[in-house]
C-alpha cells in the first residue's frame, strides 16, 4: 500500500488490446487482476489498439497506440503510404511522451516476440521497440510479462525484436521454447523465468454452470493463412485448412454430434460463415464470445474441444476439457505437452480430416483420465503463476529503500550469454 504523502505508482499497459483478439484482452485482464489484488494503489492506464473498448470494458483510461488510424491496412495509394510514414515519426514522440508519465509499463502476455503469423517489421515490432527504447531513456521500467517468442527469419523484424527485449527491464516467458528463441537471438536470458500463460490466472466458470447438449463438441476455428514465411502459399494453406476443418465438422454431424464453432479474433468470422454454409445443419451453431470468460463457459459445457487459436486451447485446458490442438506453431505443441496432452496435436497446415477424426476418437476414449490430468496440471499452473506475480512485484514494485531488480546486461551475443550463465552458476 502507498503510505501517506507518497505518490502512487503510475502503471501503463501496452499492446494490441481492445482490438478484437480475445487472447490479448484476456492477458490484460489477468494483469489488471494482479494489480488490483496486490497493488490497489497503482494508477493504471493503457496505450493500446482499441482504446474505446479498453476504457469501456476495463474501466481504465486508454490512448490509441498509433497516430495513423489505417496502420494495419495495406497501403497502396500515395496518400496512405505518406500517412503511414508520417505516423511512424509521430508515434515516436507520442510513445515517448506516454512512457515518461509512468514508473512502470507492462506488456501483458501475447506473442509480442514472435512472427508465427504474418507480420511486418514496421508494424507492432517497431511500436514495441519505441516503447522499450523510451523506457530506457526515461527511466520507466518496461516489463515483458509472460510473453511468447519464436525464431524469426526476417532480418529487420528479428533485429527490432531482439533490441526491444534487450532494452526491457524485466522479461518472463510463457514456455521454455520462447526463452530459448530469445537466447538464440542473442538476448541474455540467464535471469529470465518461464511461467504458464497469464490466462491460466483467470477464474474458471463455476462447476454448477449448465452443461451443453449431450455429445457437444466445440471446434475453435481461425482465419489461418500460415506464418510470416508462408506469404507465397497463404491462400493454398488457408484453403487446405478450411477444407479439412469443414470435412471434420461434417463427419461429427454425420455421427449425430452437435458442434459449437468458436473463434478468438474478429477476423475469424468468415471461417465460421464458410463452415456453416458448407455443412448446413441445425446441429452446427456459432458462439458469440466476447471474452476468454465466455470461451471458458463454452468449452466447459462440451464433451471435448478441437481448436486452433492458442487461447482457445488455453481456455479449454483451463476448464479441464479434453482438447485436441490444430497446431500452427511450436507454442501450441508446447502448451499441449505442458498440460499432459502432447499426443493430441494435429498440423493446421495439413489438416487430414480422417486422421483428425481418429485422434479425436482416441481423445474421447481417454476422456476421464485426461480430465484428471488436467485438474492436476491446472493446480500446478496456479502455483507457478503465483510465483510469477510475486517475482513481478519484486522487480517492479520494490519496498522503500530497495532498488528494483532489473537486467542491465542487454547487449550480449549467445556465447557471452552462456558464459555469464556459467559464471553465475559457479559463483558461491
Amino acid at each position: 500500500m502507498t503510505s501517506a504523502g507518497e505518490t502512487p505508482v503510475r502503471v501503463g499497459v501496452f499492446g494490441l488490446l481492445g482490438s478484437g483478439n480475445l487472447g490479448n484482452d484476456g492477458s490484460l485482464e489477468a494483469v489488471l487482476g494482479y494489480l488490483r489484488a496486490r497493488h490497489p494503489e497503482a494508477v493504471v492506464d493503457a496505450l493500446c489498439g482499441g482504446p474505446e473498448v479498453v476504457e469501456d470494458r476495463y474501466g481504465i483510461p486508454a490512448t490509441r497506440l498509433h497516430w495513423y488510424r489505417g496502420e494495419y491496412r495495406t497501403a497502396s495509394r500515395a496518400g496512405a503510404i505518406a500517412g503511414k510514414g508520417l505516423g511512424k515519426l509521430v508515434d515516436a514522440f507520442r510513445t515517448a511522451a506516454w512512457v515518461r508519465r509512468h514508473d512502470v509499463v507492462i506488456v501483458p502476455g501475447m506473442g509480442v516476440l514472435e512472427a508465427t503469423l504474418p507480420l511486418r517489421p514496421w508494424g507492432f515490432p517497431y511500436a514495441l521497440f519505441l516503447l522499450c527504447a523510451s523506457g530506457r531513456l526515461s527511466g520507466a521500467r518496461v516489463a515483458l510479462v509472460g510473453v511468447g517468442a519464436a525464431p524469426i527469419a526476417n532480418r529487420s523484424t528479428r533485429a527490432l525484436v531482439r533490441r526491444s527485449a534487450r532494452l526491457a527491464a524485466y522479461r518472463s516467458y510463457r514456455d521454455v521454447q520462447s526463452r530459448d528463441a530469445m537466447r538464440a537471438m542473442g538476448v541474455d536470458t540467464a535471469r529470465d523465468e518461464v511461467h504458464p500463460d497469464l490466462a491460466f490466472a483467470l477464474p474458471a466458470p463455476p462447476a454448477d454452470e449448465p452443461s451443453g447438449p449431450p455429445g457437444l463438441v466445440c471446434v475453435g476455428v481461425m482465419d489461418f493463412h500460415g506464418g510470416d514465411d508462408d506469404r507465397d502459399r497463404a491462400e493454398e494453406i488457408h484453403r487446405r485448412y478450411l477444407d479439412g476443418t469443414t470435412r471434420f465438422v461434417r463427419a461429427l454431424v454425420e455421427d449425430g454430434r452437435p458442434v459449437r464453432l468458436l473463434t478468438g479474433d474478429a477476423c475469424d468470422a468468415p471461417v465460421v460463415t464458410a463452415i456453416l454454409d458448407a455443412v448446413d445443419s441445425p446441429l452446427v451453431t456459432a458462439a458469440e464470445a466476447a471474452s476468454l470468460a465466455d470461451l471458458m463457459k463454452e468449452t466447459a459445457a462440451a464433451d471435448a474441444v478441437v481448436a486452433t487459436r492458442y487461447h482457445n486451447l488455453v481456455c479449454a485446458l483451463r476448464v479441464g476439457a479434453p482438447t485436441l490442438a490444430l497446431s500452427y506453431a511450436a507454442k501450441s505443441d508446447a502448451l499441449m505437452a505442458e498440460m499432459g496432452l502432447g499426443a493430441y496435436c494435429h498440423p493446421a497446415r495439413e489438416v487430414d480430416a480422417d486422421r483428425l477424426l481418429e485422434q479425436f476418437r482416441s481423445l474421447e476414449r481417454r476422456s476421464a483420465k485426461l480430465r484428471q490430468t488436467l485438474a492436476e496440471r491446472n493446480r500446478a499452473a496456479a502455483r507457478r503463476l503465483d510465483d510469477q506475480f510475486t517475482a513481478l512485484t519484486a522487480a517492479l514494485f520494490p519496498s522503500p529503500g530497495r532498488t528494483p531488480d532489473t537486467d542491465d546486461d542487454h547487449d550480449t551475443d549467445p556465447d557471452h550469454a552462456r558464459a555469464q550463465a556459467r559464471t553465475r552458476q559457479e559463483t558461491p
Side-chain angles (χ1 to χ4, degrees):
M1 297 293 291
T2 301
S3 303
E6 288 187 9
T7 303
V9 178
R10 300 163 300 175
V11 180
V13 289
F14 175 93
L16 293 176
L17 310 166
S19 301
N21 184 286
L22 302 187
N24 292 358
D25 291 356
S27 299
L28 169 62
E29 187 176 345
V31 164
L32 292 178
Y34 150 73
L35 291 172
R36 287 163 180 163
R38 301 202 187 190
H39 303 283
E41 76 284 357
V43 177
V44 184
D45 73 309
L47 184 64
C48 59
E52 299 85 0
V53 172
V54 169
E55 288 184 347
D56 181 63
R57 184 174 296 167
Y58 302 109
I60 60 173
T63 303
R64 186 171 297 279
L65 179 59
H66 299 291
W67 172 79
Y68 180 64
R69 289 177 177 261
E71 174 62 33
Y72 293 105
R73 293 196 295 268
T74 301
S76 55
R77 296 182 179 180
I81 294 172
K84 277 198 173 185
L86 178 60
K88 300 304 173 189
L89 179 62
V90 174
D91 285 344
F93 291 97
R94 291 176 71 250
T95 301
W98 181 80
V99 171
R100 278 198 302 270
R101 299 198 298 268
H102 299 84
D103 303 298
V104 171
V105 177
I106 295 175
V107 181
M110 306 179 287
V112 297
L113 303 178
E114 64 182 50
T116 51
L117 297 176
L119 182 72
R120 298 295 190 188
W122 54 82
F124 189 79
Y126 173 73
L128 183 66
F129 170 73
L130 292 180
L131 172 78
C132 295
S134 298
R136 175 56 68 90
L137 291 171
S138 69
R141 299 185 292 278
V142 175
L144 309 180
V145 182
V147 298
I152 298 173
N154 182 280
R155 183 177 299 178
S156 299
T157 302
R158 186 171 63 248
L160 286 169
V161 164
R162 178 174 58 240
R163 191 61 182 161
S164 298
R166 287 174 171 174
L167 289 169
Y170 175 90
R171 297 180 298 267
S172 66
Y173 307 97
R174 62 190 180 193
D175 51 50
V176 172
Q177 288 86 338
S178 293
R179 184 171 62 184
D180 291 348
M182 295 315 298
R183 183 184 296 121
M185 286 188 213
V187 176
D188 179 6
T189 63
R191 286 185 282 182
D192 297 356
E193 297 182 341
V194 174
H195 300 279
D197 188 86
L198 290 171
F200 280 101
L202 297 175
D208 59 357
E209 283 281 325
S211 59
L216 176 65
V217 181
C218 282
V219 178
V221 301
M222 179 178 178
D223 186 27
F224 179 61
H225 291 76
D228 201 47
D229 301 328
D230 297 319
R231 293 177 183 272
D232 292 342
R233 302 190 304 122
E235 287 309 312
E236 174 193 344
I237 289 171
H238 178 67
R239 186 167 55 252
R240 185 175 299 159
Y241 168 79
L242 180 57
D243 178 64
T245 306
T246 301
R247 288 181 59 211
F248 174 69
V249 171
R250 186 178 288 116
L252 291 175
V253 169
E254 289 172 354
D255 284 346
R257 303 291 293 269
V259 176
R260 187 80 161 155
L261 300 178
L262 309 178
T263 61
D265 194 294
C267 69
D268 300 331
V271 178
V272 170
T273 301
I275 294 174
L276 288 173
D277 290 344
V279 178
D280 191 22
S281 167
L283 288 175
V284 185
T285 57
E288 295 184 2
S291 66
L292 292 193
D294 291 344
L295 283 177
M296 286 189 202
K297 289 179 182 177
E298 295 284 351
T299 55
D303 284 11
V305 177
V306 178
T308 310
R309 280 199 179 272
Y310 182 82
H311 280 99
N312 276 195
L313 295 173
V314 169
C315 287
L317 297 168
R318 176 70 182 88
V319 301
T323 303
L324 199 161
L326 285 174
S327 176
Y328 67 88
K331 61 184 178 183
S332 300
D333 297 338
L335 171 66
M336 295 293 285
E338 181 69 23
M339 297 302 288
L341 280 79
Y344 297 101
C345 295
H346 189 97
R349 283 175 174 78
E350 302 283 346
V351 178
D352 180 331
D354 295 332
R355 172 63 182 145
L356 182 58
L357 199 58
E358 289 177 14
Q359 287 181 287
F360 177 76
R361 288 170 177 157
S362 172
L363 178 82
E364 291 213 299
R365 284 193 296 270
R366 298 190 60 216
S367 176
K369 176 62 176 175
L370 293 175
R371 286 183 182 275
Q372 182 181 345
T373 298
L374 287 171
E376 295 168 356
R377 300 297 172 98
N378 272 299
R379 286 192 290 270
R383 291 192 294 269
R384 291 173 58 202
L385 278 169
D386 188 65
D387 293 342
Q388 161 71 99
F389 293 135
T390 298
L392 192 59
T393 290
L396 302 182
F397 302 91
S399 55
R402 181 174 170 275
T403 303
D405 295 329
T406 58
D407 183 1
D408 291 326
D409 292 324
H410 301 287
D411 297 308
T412 60
D413 59 37
D415 293 334
H416 183 48
R418 283 190 288 270
Q420 285 183 320
R422 285 195 298 271
T423 301
R424 291 186 180 115
Q425 291 167 357
E426 294 165 0
T427 301

